[in-house]
Amino acid sequence: MHLATGHRVSPLLGEKIAYIGQLDSYEKGSEIALQLLNLELSDTKIYRLTDAIGKHAAEWLEEEDLRDDISEQPVIYAQMDGSMILTREDSWKEVKLGRVFGWDDLYEETSTRNWLKDSKYVAYLGNHKTFETAFSKILDNYSDKGEDLVFINDGAKWQWNWISAEYPKATQILDFYHAMEHIGSFVSLVKSGVEKTAYMEQMGHFLKEEGVNACWRKIQALDC
C-alpha cells in the first residue's frame, strides 16, 4: 500500500503501525514498535503513517455509510456538545461531538438510569461550520420528522441558531444539567449552604416532574 506520506509499507505492516500509533503517544509508539516488531521507527514516521491511514479510513467511511436507518422510530433524538482538549499545534481547541439515537434504542434500567442500545456519532476537531455539515449528513435523513426530531443540548448559541435555521420544525430542549446550572447561579444570589442545597433539590424535582412553568413560578416566588 502506497500512502500519501511517501512511505511504502505492506498493508499488514501499515495496519500494525496505525494500531500502535493510536494506542499511546507517538513517542511511546517508537518504543512499542522496537519491542514488538523489531523496527526502529521515529515518532514522526509513526504519526505520518497513522495520520495517512486515518484519512483513508475517513474517506472510506464517507463513501460507505454503515449507519442503520432509524427513520421508522417514533422519535429521533440528537445531542451535541463540545469539550476543550490541549493540542500540540494550536494549544486548546474544542472537539465537537454529535450523537443521534431513536426512541426504541432507549431502555430504562432503573427509575434514575437509562441505557442506550445503539447511537450514531459524528466528531470533529475544529470549526463548528464543518461539524454542522458533517452532522447534517445524518440528521437530514430525519428532517421530515418535524417536532419528533428532538434536540437536547446546552445553551451554546451556535447550536440553537443552526438548529433553528436547518431544522425549524424540530423540538429544542435545554438539557437538565445546564438548566440546573443556570438556576443555581441565580439561587446563589439569595441562598447559600444547606438552604441552597435543599432548594436546588426541590427545583430538580419541579423541573423533572412538574415542568418548566411550575419551576418558573417557584423561582418568581423567591424573596430577592
Side-chain angles (χ1 to χ4, degrees):
M1 177 173 61
H2 183 267
L3 300 176
T5 58
H7 296 273
R8 278 191 175 277
V9 297
S10 69
L12 179 60
L13 181 57
E15 181 181 331
K16 291 182 182 297
I17 293 173
Y19 179 72
I20 290 172
Q22 57 85 41
L23 279 177
D24 207 320
S25 66
Y26 296 119
E27 292 88 345
K28 189 70 174 178
S30 297
E31 179 183 333
I32 296 172
L34 183 61
Q35 290 294 323
L36 298 184
L37 302 177
N38 198 28
L39 286 176
E40 291 188 2
L41 295 172
S42 69
D43 57 315
T44 302
K45 286 183 179 179
I46 293 175
Y47 160 70
R48 287 176 178 170
L49 285 164
T50 304
D51 187 58
I53 292 173
K55 287 178 180 177
H56 283 299
E59 292 168 0
W60 173 70
L61 288 171
E62 285 293 326
E63 295 172 1
E64 301 289 335
D65 191 345
L66 304 179
R67 294 179 285 257
D68 294 331
D69 181 19
I70 56 174
S71 58
E72 296 304 315
Q73 297 201 30
V75 180
I76 306 297
Y77 295 98
Q79 297 175 319
M80 292 177 284
D81 206 352
S83 178
M84 302 302 293
I85 61 172
L86 184 61
T87 68
R88 296 184 182 186
E89 295 85 2
D90 302 307
S91 188
W92 290 94
K93 292 185 70 175
E94 186 179 49
V95 60
K96 298 168 182 63
L97 181 68
R99 185 183 198 183
V100 178
F101 57 94
W103 175 275
D104 296 337
D105 295 318
L106 188 62
Y107 293 87
E108 184 178 296
E109 285 191 345
T110 67
S111 60
T112 58
R113 184 178 179 85
N114 293 327
W115 174 72
L116 277 176
K117 179 183 71 173
D118 188 30
S119 56
K120 332 296 174 189
Y121 289 94
V122 169
Y124 183 73
L125 177 63
N127 186 276
H128 69 84
K129 294 292 185 183
T130 307
F131 167 78
E132 290 166 4
T133 300
F135 202 24
S136 285
K137 291 181 179 180
I138 298 179
L139 292 172
D140 285 352
N141 296 323
Y142 315 116
S143 58
D144 62 350
K145 300 292 287 187
E147 63 182 15
D148 290 329
L149 175 59
V150 179
F151 288 86
I152 307 173
N153 302 304
D154 62 25
K157 288 185 177 180
W158 70 266
Q159 295 179 9
W160 301 105
N161 291 339
W162 174 65
I163 295 167
S164 296
E166 295 294 325
Y167 309 100
K169 295 181 180 180
T171 300
Q172 299 188 49
I173 300 175
L174 178 67
D175 74 73
F176 174 77
Y177 298 99
H178 281 87
M180 289 297 290
E181 179 184 358
H182 292 300
I183 292 171
S185 297
F186 175 74
V187 172
S188 294
L189 300 175
V190 293
K191 294 181 181 292
S192 61
V194 176
E195 187 181 18
K196 178 190 172 184
T197 300
Y199 185 86
M200 289 302 295
E201 288 179 357
Q202 293 178 18
M203 292 302 292
H205 170 80
F206 268 82
L207 195 56
K208 284 183 175 180
E209 303 298 333
E210 300 189 35
V212 173
N213 290 333
C215 186
W216 179 238
R217 287 194 295 270
K218 189 169 179 62
I219 291 174
Q220 289 179 309
L222 281 173
D223 184 16
C224 298

